[in-house]
Amino acid sequence: MSQKIREVSVLFLVGITSALLLSFVYKQTAPVISKYKEEALKKSLSEVFIDSSVRFEEIKPDSLWKVFKEEKYVGLIFRSEKKGYSGKISPIVGVDSTGKIIRVKIPKEDLSETPGLGMKIAEVVFLDQFKNLIADEVFLKKDKKEGEIDAITSATISSRAATDAIREGLNKYKKLLPRYAFKDFVKTSLENLAQSSDSALEEITPDKLWKNLNTYISLSKIEDSSFVFHILTQIENKRINKITIFIENPETEKEETSKESKALKQALEKRFEKVLMKNIHKLKFTSEIEGIAEKIRKEIRTTYVKHIEWREK
């Protein structure tokens, strides 16, 4: 009996000693490991948003950062996660203010994919495919016709997981981007027009002029003392069908949504509706909208003469 007590006591002491030693080692190494991870993360952030003059502001611990340049919000960085073939895949993605990908990094130290196959998702050849893409293009080519990403041979599961993680992160955070609202405004307006006519849009001048059957759509910009006015004008058979206005606050690069701005937008859009181009110079405006309305009239007329009038003949 005494022999068994001695054996149990020895095992107990060994266990206690081991626990104390492990605790001591952890306390000594934890700060070093933490510092290493912090430095590695800082390096990754600077690699996916390459600009030495920017600063990163953490919004969600270890998963979301806003990027500022001279106090101006210019983009964001996010880290998303998806189950791969052997473990989780966590890409770090830098995005500009319009929602386009700048760069992607997948830290190798976080991967447990198959060496020589799935591990290749961390290589430049695969990651460079994501540069300048928007969310709608971030699919494997074999999964969707709009997709721009070639899967790694014999590593489709890993390739798809990385691609899905990046796209889902973009869709999750894109509304936080300063220029996303304007870009979405243009995209939605054009899509609505195409759907209403059941005909595809033809882009005549990139980001400036489109055609849909007999309708021309032009995008103009006017900078006022306080705001920037983006005007989408629909012209059919020498008549303005409608104009749609996006009022942007230049400081935040977001849509101005105050009650006054909404009232101004509504008044301007209503005043230019169903106006023949030959009569646009005859329009009269109230004193509340006269200043900006005159600028819009001039811009619409200039754009029409330069880009549309000769095409309608």
Side-chain angles (χ1 to χ4, degrees), residues 55-218:
R55 66 177 179 84
F56 309 114
E57 180 181 306
E58 189 175 64
I59 306 302
K60 291 184 179 180
D62 293 328
S63 63
L64 181 63
W65 300 261
K66 284 186 175 181
V67 183
F68 293 88
K69 184 172 184 176
E70 296 178 354
E71 302 311 309
K72 184 178 181 180
Y73 180 22
V74 294
L76 58 79
I77 297 172
F78 66 84
R79 173 155 52 187
S80 53
E81 185 177 304
K82 202 78 175 176
K83 175 70 171 63
Y85 182 78
S86 303
K88 68 177 183 178
I89 295 173
S90 304
I92 300 172
V93 185
V95 186
D96 71 14
S97 62
T98 68
K100 282 187 177 181
I101 296 173
I102 298 173
R103 280 196 175 185
V104 176
K105 180 178 180 179
I106 300 179
K108 287 186 177 180
E109 58 268 24
D110 296 338
L111 286 177
S112 57
E113 300 300 284
T114 307
L117 295 174
M119 286 296 289
K120 288 184 178 180
I121 62 172
E123 295 180 1
V124 172
V125 174
F126 178 72
L127 297 178
D128 273 358
Q129 297 182 91
F130 294 94
K131 287 182 180 179
N132 298 316
L133 298 186
I134 59 174
D136 293 345
E137 300 167 324
V138 182
F139 288 90
L140 294 184
K141 290 180 179 178
K142 62 172 63 181
D143 290 344
K144 198 170 183 179
K145 65 179 182 179
E146 295 87 358
E148 294 288 342
I149 307 302
D150 287 312
I152 294 168
T153 303
S154 301
T156 300
I157 294 176
S158 301
S159 303
R160 183 177 290 119
T163 302
D164 289 351
I166 293 167
R167 184 184 64 260
E168 290 171 10
L170 283 170
N171 286 327
K172 182 177 181 180
Y173 296 120
K174 64 185 179 184
K175 290 187 178 180
L176 298 177
L177 292 165
R179 294 286 291 169
Y180 171 75
F182 166 65
K183 189 173 182 179
D184 189 56
F185 153 76
V186 175
K187 179 183 176 183
T188 303
S189 298
L190 295 176
E191 286 177 348
N192 289 341
L193 178 64
Q195 289 172 3
S196 65
S197 66
D198 197 27
S199 178
L201 278 172
E202 174 192 353
E203 188 175 49
I204 298 174
T205 304
D207 300 324
K208 179 72 176 179
L209 184 66
W210 300 262
K211 185 182 180 183
N212 180 264
L213 298 178
N214 294 323
T215 302
Y216 289 89
I217 309 98
S218 65

Side-chain angles (χ1 to χ4, degrees), residues 29-47 56 58 61-62 65 79 92 105 107 109-110:
T29 58
V32 177
I33 295 172
S34 178
K35 185 176 181 181
Y36 169 77
K37 287 183 175 180
E38 183 179 337
E39 292 301 320
L41 180 57
K42 286 181 179 179
K43 185 173 183 291
S44 294
L45 296 183
S46 64
E47 288 175 351
F56 309 114
E58 189 175 64
D62 293 328
W65 300 261
R79 173 155 52 187
I92 300 172
K105 180 178 180 179
E109 58 268 24
D110 296 338

